[in-house]
């Protein structure tokens, strides 16, 4: 066997090994991407945007949060999915808006509230022991006044931000694979990076 033949043979072996490694990576990444999409479709979020970043408006935002959660928690008691939670919020949207505007009126705010259901882009955020990955989620959106201030968010379904919720709720909704992604983000940083990059490239088309 000539020297060139040996070199070509080694390159062929290396190419085969790289191809096998890439195939394994792609298989794992595809499974990860599917679990990631399942998470974004399984979660229904609450998003409250303050009128401004003034201390008063930020304080009002939190008071609105408390009222919306405390006065409307029973709306979501029997929901078994993000879609059901969104439908319940949509059906009771006037009541939710009334809860928010009552707080604003009681505190002498010179502005009102708007409420609606929207598909929204969220950055990744830490929530207790979990990190919700960046992506588009269905959300109950409450905007106060000019909606020019910092936001507050939580997870309405599974009901992680509602009163008297046990830590078992997430386990009942998410699969073991999804919980692994939510609770151990460090091990998936590279995959999150590539997935978010692919999403950005797709949005530019």
């Amino acid at each position: 066997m000539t020297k060139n033949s040996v070199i070509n043979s080694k390159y062929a072996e290396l190419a085969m090994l790289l191809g096998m490694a890439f195939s394994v990576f792609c298989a794992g990444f595809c499974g990860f991407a599917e679990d990631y999409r399942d998470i974004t479709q399984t979660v229904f979020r609450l998003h409250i945007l303050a009128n401004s970043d003034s201390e008063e408006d930020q304080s009002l935002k939190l008071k609105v949060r408390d009222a919306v959660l405390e006065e409307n928690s029973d709306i979501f008691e029997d929901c078994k999915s993000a879609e059901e939670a969104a439908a319940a919020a949509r059906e009771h949207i006037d009541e939710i808006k009334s809860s928010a505007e009552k707080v604003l009126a009681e505190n002498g705010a010179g502005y009102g509230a708007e409420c609606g259901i929207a598909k929204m882009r969220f950055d990744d955020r830490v929530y207790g022991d979990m990190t919700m990955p960046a992506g588009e989620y269905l959300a109950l959106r409450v905007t106060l006044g000019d909606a020019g201030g910092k936001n507050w968010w939580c997870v309405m379904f599974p009901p992680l931000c509602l009163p008297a919720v046990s830590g078992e709720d997430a386990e009942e909704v998410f699969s073991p694979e999804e919980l692994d992604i939510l609770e151990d983000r460090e091990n998936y940083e590279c995959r999150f990076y590539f997935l978010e990059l692919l999403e950005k490239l797709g949005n530019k088309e």
Side-chain angles (χ1 to χ4, degrees), residues 1-2 5-6 17 37 46 68 71-72 93 128 131 133 143 147 158 161 168 173 186 195-196 198-199 203:
M1 183 178 289
T2 67
S5 297
V6 172
L17 289 173
R37 282 191 291 270
L46 169 63
V68 167
E71 296 177 14
N72 301 283
I93 202 70
T131 299
T143 56
C161 63
E168 298 177 355
V173 174
E186 279 189 25
L195 195 56
E196 290 170 15
L198 287 173
E199 281 193 345
N203 291 334

Side-chain angles (χ1 to χ4, degrees), residues 84-149:
E84 287 186 14
R90 191 175 286 111
E91 181 180 352
H92 296 275
I93 202 70
D94 289 340
E95 298 166 42
I96 297 171
K97 180 178 179 179
S98 177
S99 296
E101 293 196 320
K102 179 182 176 182
V103 171
L104 297 178
E106 288 175 348
N107 286 272
Y111 52 82
E114 294 296 332
C115 301
I117 310 302
K119 195 81 169 179
M120 296 180 58
R121 173 78 188 180
F122 286 85
D123 293 330
D124 60 332
R125 297 286 183 87
V126 176
Y127 186 80
D129 295 329
M130 297 182 180
T131 299
M132 285 290 162
E136 288 194 348
Y137 293 80
L138 203 57
L140 167 60
R141 190 164 192 257
V142 181
T143 56
L144 308 179
D146 293 331

Side-chain angles (χ1 to χ4, degrees), residues 146-167:
D146 293 331
K150 291 185 178 68
N151 66 70
W152 183 91
W153 70 272
C154 73
V155 178
M156 297 289 281
F157 184 89
L160 303 180
C161 63
L162 297 179
V165 174
S166 73

Side-chain angles (χ1 to χ4, degrees), residues 1-183:
M1 183 178 289
T2 67
K3 184 178 180 180
N4 286 339
S5 297
V6 172
I7 293 174
N8 290 336
S9 176
K10 289 186 178 295
Y11 275 127
E13 290 178 6
L14 180 60
M16 183 174 67
L17 289 173
L18 289 174
M20 292 173 62
F22 183 72
S23 296
V24 171
F25 172 80
C26 286
F29 184 78
C30 288
F32 168 81
E34 184 175 347
D35 290 333
Y36 166 87
R37 282 191 291 270
D38 286 343
I39 290 172
T40 61
Q41 293 170 11
T42 299
V43 171
F44 180 60
R45 299 171 77 154
L46 169 63
H47 181 258
I48 302 177
L49 198 56
N51 177 63
S52 76
D53 282 334
S54 72
E55 185 176 343
E56 181 181 4
D57 284 339
Q58 287 297 311
S59 176
L60 272 176
K61 175 189 69 178
L62 298 181
K63 290 179 180 179
V64 167
R65 170 201 66 186
D66 293 342
V68 167
L69 293 176
E70 291 171 8
E71 296 177 14
N72 301 283
S73 60
D74 59 324
I75 293 173
F76 305 97
E77 282 182 354
D78 299 323
C79 295
K80 303 300 182 184
S81 68
E83 290 77 12
E84 287 186 14
R90 191 175 286 111
E91 181 180 352
H92 296 275
I93 202 70
D94 289 340
E95 298 166 42
I96 297 171
K97 180 178 179 179
S98 177
S99 296
E101 293 196 320
K102 179 182 176 182
V103 171
L104 297 178
E106 288 175 348
N107 286 272
Y111 52 82
E114 294 296 332
C115 301
I117 310 302
K119 195 81 169 179
M120 296 180 58
R121 173 78 188 180
F122 286 85
D123 293 330
D124 60 332
R125 297 286 183 87
V126 176
Y127 186 80
D129 295 329
M130 297 182 180
T131 299
M132 285 290 162
E136 288 194 348
Y137 293 80
L138 203 57
L140 167 60
R141 190 164 192 257
V142 181
T143 56
L144 308 179
D146 293 331
K150 291 185 178 68
N151 66 70
W152 183 91
W153 70 272
C154 73
V155 178
M156 297 289 281
F157 184 89
L160 303 180
C161 63
L162 297 179
V165 174
S166 73
E168 298 177 355
D169 286 281
E171 295 180 7
E172 294 176 358
V173 174
F174 298 114
S175 69
E177 293 78 13
E178 292 165 356
L179 281 173
D180 188 41
I181 291 173
L182 292 169
E183 295 175 347

